[in-house]
Amino acid sequence: VLLDYPLSSTLQWNQYIQGDLKTKPQEFLSPLVYGSKSPTLVESFLEWIKLYNEQNDRKVTIAGFDIPGVIYYNYLADYLINLNKSSPFFDSLLLKVCKQQFKGALQLASDRDSLSVYLKASEVSLFLSALKNLTRDYLDEGKPEIDKLFLKFANIKEIIGSQLRKDEKAVMFADFSTLNKLNVNPSSIVSHSVGYWLDHEYGNDFFTIAVLLGNGLFTHANAVEITAINELKQSLTGSLEELCMMSNQPVFYKNSSSDLYNRIGYLHWMDRSMAMSQFVKCNYKRRMDAFLFIRNSKGFDIPQDWPKNDKGFFDFNAALMQKDFERHFNKKFYRPTHKYKVYFK
């Protein structure tokens, strides 16, 4: 299962669903979740997959494919520390990660035989991918010509190549602008989406399902703002949602063979860039292979202590990040062994 989060921040999530991490999700879910998404939904999602893994021999793996900022090395260090291991090799690796010496850490960790003493085979590949992401991001930071969506695609391709067997599949969860097969914005045809690159790489093996909504509410949130609960606008004449509403079915699924695809019209395009204008004119057929229609929707839960306006939410999110920053930069927290002290830039 591939999620639009930095891989380094999801390594402990994967440990948790495999039953290897005994702490509660609140202790390892990052402010990225608590500050911009529904923590209750994420926690229940992890619990659901953990329960599946407990009852099945073939386990589900979780990995993130987003491009991380340098600060997300914190979670890579956290991951290593929670292994509670010690050796000259392991301590040296942790020290390099904590000091943000990613290139040296990657060179050291490339000794798979040494790394496999502490990690499962599947975890070795994920750890190396996470470290490689930080190395690349750290070296390329500040360069506007870097196509981050293409790098997301490259991350997905690397994870699929290292984790999947021939009889297995990857399921990706991300917003429509990321995984539709054309571009991130209908008004910018050259801004290729991650789905565009995946379609060109995997062809018929890449299948995109859009989730369409009819009536109801949605919660719009990103890293700096939240608008409590908004109502979906009435479906426009000729829109795909209007056609779906005519069925009077609460939920249904249609694939690309449906006659609904033989037209150009409108559909809801709900992401951070389209929050003020919910409808966009585009060709459905080229963007997705199928859709799941939900007649009545509900915005995700907003915790009681969350702020009620954008400024309050900005301060709230900043406080979460500061708390996380202080936790990871507390030198008492980083004591890999009695031999080493960890120093930060």
Side-chain angles (χ1 to χ4, degrees), residues 70-128:
V70 177
I71 191 172
Y72 287 101
Y73 83 88
N74 302 353
Y75 300 105
L76 205 58
D78 228 5
Y79 173 72
L80 291 174
I81 289 167
N82 284 326
L83 293 175
N84 197 28
K85 304 294 184 180
S86 177
S87 74
F89 167 82
F90 188 86
D91 297 340
S92 179
L93 176 61
L94 177 57
L95 184 64
K96 290 180 184 297
V97 170
C98 290
K99 293 177 70 175
Q100 302 181 42
Q101 296 174 352
F102 305 130
K103 196 170 184 179
L106 181 61
Q107 185 176 4
L108 181 64
S110 296
D111 181 357
R112 284 177 170 263
D113 290 338
S114 296
L115 196 59
S116 62
V117 174
Y118 309 98
L119 301 176
K120 298 177 182 178
S122 59
E123 293 175 334
V124 168
S125 297
L126 287 178
F127 177 82
L128 289 174

Side-chain angles (χ1 to χ4, degrees), residues 55-71:
Q55 299 173 348
N56 292 273
D57 294 331
R58 299 186 67 175
K59 310 299 183 184
V60 172
T61 296
I62 283 181
F65 64 85
D66 195 10
I67 304 301
V70 177
I71 191 172

Side-chain angles (χ1 to χ4, degrees), residues 50 102 104 168 264 307 311 344:
K50 183 182 179 184
F102 305 130
E168 294 178 331
I264 295 178
K311 182 183 183 304
F344 298 94

Side-chain angles (χ1 to χ4, degrees), residues 223-224 307 309-322:
V224 297
N309 56 60
D310 290 351
K311 182 183 183 304
F313 186 77
F314 180 85
D315 295 338
F316 172 80
N317 196 59
L320 279 175
M321 292 300 291
Q322 180 64 28

Side-chain angles (χ1 to χ4, degrees), residues 73 77 81 90-100 328-345:
Y73 83 88
I81 289 167
F90 188 86
D91 297 340
S92 179
L93 176 61
L94 177 57
L95 184 64
K96 290 180 184 297
V97 170
C98 290
K99 293 177 70 175
Q100 302 181 42
H328 286 285
F329 278 78
N330 182 342
K331 293 182 181 179
K332 292 181 180 179
F333 182 78
Y334 283 117
R335 290 186 293 180
T337 70
H338 64 280
K339 298 180 182 179
Y340 293 96
K341 292 182 179 180
V342 178
Y343 298 93
F344 298 94
K345 290 186 176 181

Side-chain angles (χ1 to χ4, degrees), residues 19 58 105 133 136 160-161 196 198 205 214 218 220 252 259 276 278 284 303 328 335:
R58 299 186 67 175
N133 285 348
R136 178 172 53 204
I160 287 176
Y196 170 89
L198 289 169
D205 288 332
F218 70 94
H220 177 70
F252 67 85
D259 58 0
M276 302 306 294
Q278 294 181 15
Y284 331 129
H328 286 285
R335 290 186 293 180

Side-chain angles (χ1 to χ4, degrees), residues 4-290:
D4 199 357
Y5 289 97
L7 178 54
S8 55
S9 71
T10 61
L11 293 177
Q12 286 186 289
W13 304 11
N14 191 55
Q15 279 186 311
Y16 182 75
I17 65 168
Q18 306 301 336
D20 298 330
L21 194 64
K22 305 305 179 184
T23 57
K24 296 180 180 179
Q26 296 93 321
E27 297 180 31
F28 59 81
L29 288 179
S30 72
L32 200 64
V33 172
Y34 278 87
S36 62
K37 300 293 190 295
S38 169
T40 303
L41 288 179
V42 175
E43 289 173 19
S44 61
F45 179 68
L46 293 179
E47 291 293 345
W48 177 54
I49 297 181
K50 183 182 179 184
L51 179 62
Y52 175 88
N53 282 345
E54 290 173 352
Q55 299 173 348
N56 292 273
D57 294 331
R58 299 186 67 175
K59 310 299 183 184
V60 172
T61 296
I62 283 181
F65 64 85
D66 195 10
I67 304 301
V70 177
I71 191 172
Y72 287 101
Y73 83 88
N74 302 353
Y75 300 105
L76 205 58
D78 228 5
Y79 173 72
L80 291 174
I81 289 167
N82 284 326
L83 293 175
N84 197 28
K85 304 294 184 180
S86 177
S87 74
F89 167 82
F90 188 86
D91 297 340
S92 179
L93 176 61
L94 177 57
L95 184 64
K96 290 180 184 297
V97 170
C98 290
K99 293 177 70 175
Q100 302 181 42
Q101 296 174 352
F102 305 130
K103 196 170 184 179
L106 181 61
Q107 185 176 4
L108 181 64
S110 296
D111 181 357
R112 284 177 170 263
D113 290 338
S114 296
L115 196 59
S116 62
V117 174
Y118 309 98
L119 301 176
K120 298 177 182 178
S122 59
E123 293 175 334
V124 168
S125 297
L126 287 178
F127 177 82
L128 289 174
S129 294
L131 190 54
K132 188 182 298 183
N133 285 348
L134 283 167
T135 304
R136 178 172 53 204
D137 187 69
Y138 187 67
L139 295 176
D140 294 337
E141 192 171 14
K143 296 182 179 180
E145 68 273 13
I146 298 299
D147 186 342
K148 292 187 176 182
L149 290 170
F150 183 80
L151 290 182
K152 284 187 177 186
F153 155 71
N155 289 345
I156 292 171
K157 183 179 176 182
E158 183 172 330
I159 292 169
I160 287 176
S162 66
Q163 295 294 313
L164 257 66
R165 296 182 297 197
K166 289 185 178 180
D167 59 340
E168 294 178 331
K169 293 180 173 62
V171 178
M172 286 165 271
F173 291 98
D175 58 51
F176 187 68
S177 62
T178 298
L179 290 181
N180 82 91
K181 293 187 173 184
L182 288 181
N183 42 44
V184 297
N185 189 322
S187 63
S188 179
I189 60 174
V190 297
S191 57
H192 296 316
S193 63
V194 175
Y196 170 89
W197 298 111
L198 289 169
D199 187 41
H200 279 66
E201 176 70 22
Y202 297 108
N204 292 334
D205 288 332
F206 174 60
F207 194 85
T208 298
I209 303 174
V211 178
L212 302 183
L213 307 175
N215 295 321
L217 307 172
F218 70 94
T219 309
H220 177 70
N222 58 35
V224 297
E225 65 177 354
I226 182 170
T227 53
I229 297 292
N230 297 270
E231 188 170 359
L232 288 170
K233 295 179 180 178
Q234 184 177 352
S235 303
L236 299 181
T237 301
S239 68
L240 187 53
E241 284 83 357
E242 183 196 46
L243 294 175
C244 292
M245 289 291 284
M246 293 178 182
S247 69
N248 290 321
Q249 297 181 47
V251 178
F252 67 85
Y253 173 89
K254 291 285 186 181
N255 60 30
S256 57
S257 63
S258 169
D259 58 0
L260 294 176
Y261 277 78
N262 298 322
R263 58 187 297 134
I264 295 178
Y266 297 92
L267 74 157
H268 278 299
W269 184 304
M270 294 306 305
D271 68 9
R272 64 190 61 182
S273 62
M274 299 290 175
M276 302 306 294
S277 177
Q278 294 181 15
F279 283 94
V280 176
K281 189 174 184 178
C282 63
N283 187 318
Y284 331 129
K285 188 173 183 179
R286 296 182 60 195
R287 294 186 183 277
M288 53 198 182
D289 299 292

